[in-house]
């Protein structure tokens, strides 16, 4: 009995408004969310689960609605906490921090999470979905680091170098036989 997990990394999001939890999608992010709906519409998705961060839910919301389904929000799937109060960090500060976090999985910035802490939060949630939704198809609205940690738990090739090569949005279909990863396929084609 095969279970399919569709990791859907959120679309482009402006880093100028609100905080990490509340920032939405840019116009390009909204257009890409529509393209995701077109791409996955005929996959026969059974469940939609998302990070509580707005950009992640907005990326899969249209697809869920077109399938007549609701998006279940799981706090455990939230983005990695990089700094306190879910402050938005500019990429020039965030990318070196992510590099350091991956090089030392126990390191964390003040009031932030380490790679180990984040992985210990998200992996049990993914394992529960594999158990609860066995034999079904599940879309997860997620974030780059969280997606990389979940995928990397099952296959070590999904590491920091993989993360740097992903796009916003991105889609990876993971096929499981019970709790064993059988195959991973990238479904998103970067739009020019």
């Amino acid at each position: 009995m095969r279970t399919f997990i569709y990791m859907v990394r959120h679309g482009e999001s402006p880093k100028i408004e609100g905080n990490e939890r509340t920032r939405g999608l840019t116009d390009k992010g909204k257009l890409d969310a529509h393209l995701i709906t077109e791409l996955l519409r005929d996959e026969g998705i059974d469940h939609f689960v998302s990070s509580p961060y707005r950009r992640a839910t907005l990326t899969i919301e249209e697809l869920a609605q077109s399938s007549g389904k609701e998006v279940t929000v799981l706090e455990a799937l939230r983005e990695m906490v990089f700094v306190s109060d879910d402050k938005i960090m500019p990429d020039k500060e965030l990318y070196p921090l992510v590099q350091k976090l991956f090089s030392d999985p126990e390191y964390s910035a003040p009031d932030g999470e380490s790679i180990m802490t984040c992985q210990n939060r998200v992996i049990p949630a993914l394992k529960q979905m594999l158990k609860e939704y066995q034999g079904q198809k599940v879309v997860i609205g997620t974030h780059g680091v969280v997606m990389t940690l979940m995928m990397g738990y099952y296959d070590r090739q999904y590491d920091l170098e993989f993360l740097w090569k992903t796009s916003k949005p991105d889609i990876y279909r993971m096929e499981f036989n019970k709790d064993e990863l059988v195959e991973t396929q990238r479904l998103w084609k970067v739009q020019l």
Side-chain angles (χ1 to χ4, degrees), residues 33-76:
H34 179 70
L35 294 173
I36 288 169
T37 299
E38 295 302 311
L39 183 65
L40 298 181
R41 184 185 310 273
D42 296 328
E43 289 287 316
I45 307 297
D46 299 294
H47 302 281
F48 296 84
V49 183
S50 180
S51 155
Y53 286 33
R54 192 163 173 255
R55 60 192 182 273
T57 55
L58 288 174
T59 301
I60 65 169
E61 193 171 67
E62 180 186 337
L63 175 60
Q65 289 172 351
S66 75
S67 304
K69 312 274 183 181
E70 301 268 327
V71 176
T72 301
V73 172
L74 277 185
E75 184 64 28

Side-chain angles (χ1 to χ4, degrees), residues 35-162:
L35 294 173
I36 288 169
T37 299
E38 295 302 311
L39 183 65
L40 298 181
R41 184 185 310 273
D42 296 328
E43 289 287 316
I45 307 297
D46 299 294
H47 302 281
F48 296 84
V49 183
S50 180
S51 155
Y53 286 33
R54 192 163 173 255
R55 60 192 182 273
T57 55
L58 288 174
T59 301
I60 65 169
E61 193 171 67
E62 180 186 337
L63 175 60
Q65 289 172 351
S66 75
S67 304
K69 312 274 183 181
E70 301 268 327
V71 176
T72 301
V73 172
L74 277 185
E75 184 64 28
L77 296 179
R78 69 187 178 275
E79 172 63 293
M80 182 173 191
V81 177
F82 297 107
V83 293
S84 64
D85 301 326
D86 281 318
K87 289 182 195 157
I88 296 174
M89 289 183 75
D91 290 346
K92 66 181 181 179
E93 294 173 22
L94 180 62
Y95 293 168
L97 175 59
V98 169
Q99 179 96 31
K100 184 168 183 158
L101 290 165
F102 272 86
S103 68
D104 180 359
E106 293 184 28
Y107 171 79
S108 65
D111 297 321
E113 287 182 303
S114 68
I115 291 289
M116 287 181 65
T117 301
C118 185
Q119 197 167 42
N120 288 339
R121 168 172 51 82
V122 299
I123 297 303
L126 178 56
K127 285 182 174 182
Q128 179 60 36
M129 281 185 264
L130 287 170
K131 185 177 175 182
E132 186 175 336
Y133 302 133
Q134 188 174 10
Q136 299 179 60
K137 295 180 177 181
V138 183
V139 162
I140 298 177
T142 190
H143 307 271
V145 171
V146 170
M147 177 180 79
T148 300
L149 294 178
M150 287 190 285
M151 293 172 70
Y153 178 81
Y154 291 96
D155 185 338
R156 296 182 70 168
Q157 74 171 311
Y158 301 109
D159 57 9
L160 181 61
E161 292 307 311
F162 162 78

